[in-house]
Amino acid sequence: ELAAINSRQVPERYIREGVGALDASFPVLDVPTIDLQLLASSSSTSGDELDKLRSALSSYGCIQAINHGITSAFLDKLREVARQFFALPSEEKKKYSREIGSIEGYGNDMILSEDQILDWTDRLYLILRPEDKQTLKFWPENPESFRGILNDYSTKLHVILEVLLKAMARSLNLEENQFLQQYGDQATMQARFNFYPICPRPDQVLGVKPHADGSVITMLLQDKEVEGLQVLKDDQWFNVPIIPQALLINVGDQAEIMSNGIFKSPVHRVVTNSERERITVAVFCIPHPDQEIQPVEELINETHPRLYKKVKDYVSLYFQYYQQGTRPMEAALI
């Protein structure tokens, strides 16, 4: 609604100091491209890809995943239903509004304090898996194909997740189910559809504040044309380029804990754009709140001591810290 007014000003509650708009002043992050088909195979070339995966997740915390088994046509359909939903009249979208105290549904993120600086984004947040945890009153019936496409997408991502967690374990010379077992069979998959409207002051306003994810794994379908994601590396913000048919996959805090700090959960943010809207779909893979997460024993030794405590229900802790702009990982450190 603010974007529709077309004002040159933005309300004070959105303004942050020292943002810097998305432009040539930020270097491009050369995110490693990983072939998921090679990771899943037992051929001799898969060893090279495992080394590449370990290196990428240790230094960047993210990869551009290609050959993931999802067709370009399907990803375009997913982008299209997201676009159609956010283009609906406000009254139609409000049928799926987030309820107070809950993260699910359409609208903004939870506002926990009067002095919280707001993000320039609308989002639709849905639990995808397990299916019996889906709250269908928040799942749009318009566009008509939305629910079917999203269910198909969650099934496809579940396959990718398993390949990835097994490969991550193998890349550290662990038994391949080590991370998968900690992730657990009661884990949830949660989708966040993000719409970033045109913003008149991209030099002052962020689409999403700096944060690292509270997940084990996050899979992001980027906008096909409009960049906006930035990753913090060596105290410098880098633009993340678009590979239209790749999935940008990053490890979250819980994978950093499980790997005893070998894999790095990257801090990232989203900048705004004064000329073009942007739509993305992020899916977070999160262990059940009762599941205990801790460093794998084989990764603890004299030269690499245990860095993290055992944690449960990390995401509850995460959201409290996130809205205050601080990192919950600090609470998990020994």
Side-chain angles (χ1 to χ4, degrees), residues 255-300:
E256 183 168 328
I257 291 168
M258 284 156 57
S259 70
N260 201 32
I262 296 173
F263 298 145
K264 301 289 187 286
S265 172
V267 173
H268 50 285
R269 68 180 188 178
V270 175
V271 293
T272 49
N273 191 303
S274 60
E275 294 170 11
R276 302 183 73 182
E277 297 171 344
R278 179 170 176 266
I279 287 177
T280 64
V281 185
V283 173
F284 308 101
C285 305
I286 300 169
H288 188 275
D290 292 338
Q291 184 80 16
E292 286 188 333
I293 300 297
Q294 61 184 320
V296 172
E297 285 297 328
E298 289 90 327
L299 301 176
I300 301 167

Side-chain angles (χ1 to χ4, degrees), residues 83-118:
R83 200 169 296 286
Q84 287 171 1
F85 171 75
F86 285 116
L88 291 171
S90 193
E91 286 313 305
E92 178 70 17
K93 287 183 288 196
K94 282 178 180 171
K95 289 179 186 173
Y96 308 102
S97 286
R98 179 177 71 76
E99 292 169 354
I100 290 170
S102 162
I103 59 167
E104 266 199 282
Y106 166 75
N108 56 5
D109 283 328
M110 284 192 265
I111 297 173
L112 301 181
S113 72
E114 283 303 310
D115 52 5
Q116 184 177 322
I117 300 174
L118 303 183

Side-chain angles (χ1 to χ4, degrees), residues 21-34:
L22 176 68
D23 58 28
S25 66
F26 290 102
V28 173
L29 190 68
D30 188 17
V31 179
T33 301
I34 299 286

Side-chain angles (χ1 to χ4, degrees), residues 90-327:
S90 193
E91 286 313 305
E92 178 70 17
K93 287 183 288 196
K94 282 178 180 171
K95 289 179 186 173
Y96 308 102
S97 286
R98 179 177 71 76
E99 292 169 354
I100 290 170
S102 162
I103 59 167
E104 266 199 282
Y106 166 75
N108 56 5
D109 283 328
M110 284 192 265
I111 297 173
L112 301 181
S113 72
E114 283 303 310
D115 52 5
Q116 184 177 322
I117 300 174
L118 303 183
D119 294 335
W120 192 262
T121 180
D122 269 3
R123 92 300 187 271
L124 175 68
Y125 203 108
L126 302 170
I127 292 174
L128 309 183
R129 292 175 83 100
E131 282 193 31
D132 62 0
K133 292 284 186 280
Q134 292 178 356
T135 312
L136 288 179
K137 67 178 180 181
F138 295 124
W139 285 54
E141 293 180 277
N142 184 5
E144 217 171 286
S145 57
F146 185 99
R147 292 182 173 188
I149 287 172
L150 191 52
N151 269 323
D152 285 354
Y153 189 51
S154 77
T155 302
K156 294 173 195 295
L157 290 189
H158 191 70
V159 174
I160 292 171
L161 176 72
E162 196 161 310
V163 166
L164 199 59
L165 287 176
K166 285 180 175 179
M168 283 162 61
R170 294 205 317 274
S171 79
L172 299 177
N173 299 314
L174 298 171
E175 191 276 313
E176 71 170 14
N177 286 324
Q178 285 274 30
F179 292 144
L180 208 51
Q181 282 164 357
Q182 277 209 61
Y183 180 68
D185 53 10
Q186 295 301 307
T188 63
M189 203 176 255
Q190 306 179 4
R192 180 181 162 126
F193 289 79
N194 302 296
F195 173 62
Y196 302 102
I198 288 169
C199 178
R201 296 304 306 265
D203 56 324
Q204 294 182 326
V205 176
L206 285 176
V208 175
K209 66 176 77 61
H211 67 286
D213 293 340
S215 58
V216 167
I217 295 288
T218 300
M219 306 194 212
L220 178 72
L221 179 65
Q222 294 233 63
D223 190 293
K224 211 169 174 179
E225 296 171 350
V226 185
E227 290 183 354
L229 179 65
Q230 294 188 331
V231 166
L232 188 66
K233 184 167 168 26
D234 304 324
D235 296 322
Q236 157 103 47
W237 288 108
F238 287 82
N239 293 333
V240 176
I242 293 168
I243 299 180
Q245 305 315 335
L247 291 173
L248 185 84
I249 297 178
N250 67 271
V251 294
D253 289 356
Q254 295 194 62
E256 183 168 328
I257 291 168
M258 284 156 57
S259 70
N260 201 32
I262 296 173
F263 298 145
K264 301 289 187 286
S265 172
V267 173
H268 50 285
R269 68 180 188 178
V270 175
V271 293
T272 49
N273 191 303
S274 60
E275 294 170 11
R276 302 183 73 182
E277 297 171 344
R278 179 170 176 266
I279 287 177
T280 64
V281 185
V283 173
F284 308 101
C285 305
I286 300 169
H288 188 275
D290 292 338
Q291 184 80 16
E292 286 188 333
I293 300 297
Q294 61 184 320
V296 172
E297 285 297 328
E298 289 90 327
L299 301 176
I300 301 167
N301 53 47
E302 284 179 19
T303 53
H304 200 72
R306 185 189 179 105
L307 298 178
Y308 302 102
K309 304 169 194 162
K310 205 180 271 190
V311 297
K312 269 166 84 166
D313 198 10
Y314 183 82
V315 169
S316 292
L317 176 79
Y318 173 84
F319 276 112
Q320 292 169 30
Y321 278 74
Y322 168 68
Q323 296 301 5
Q324 293 157 14
T326 56
R327 284 201 72 181

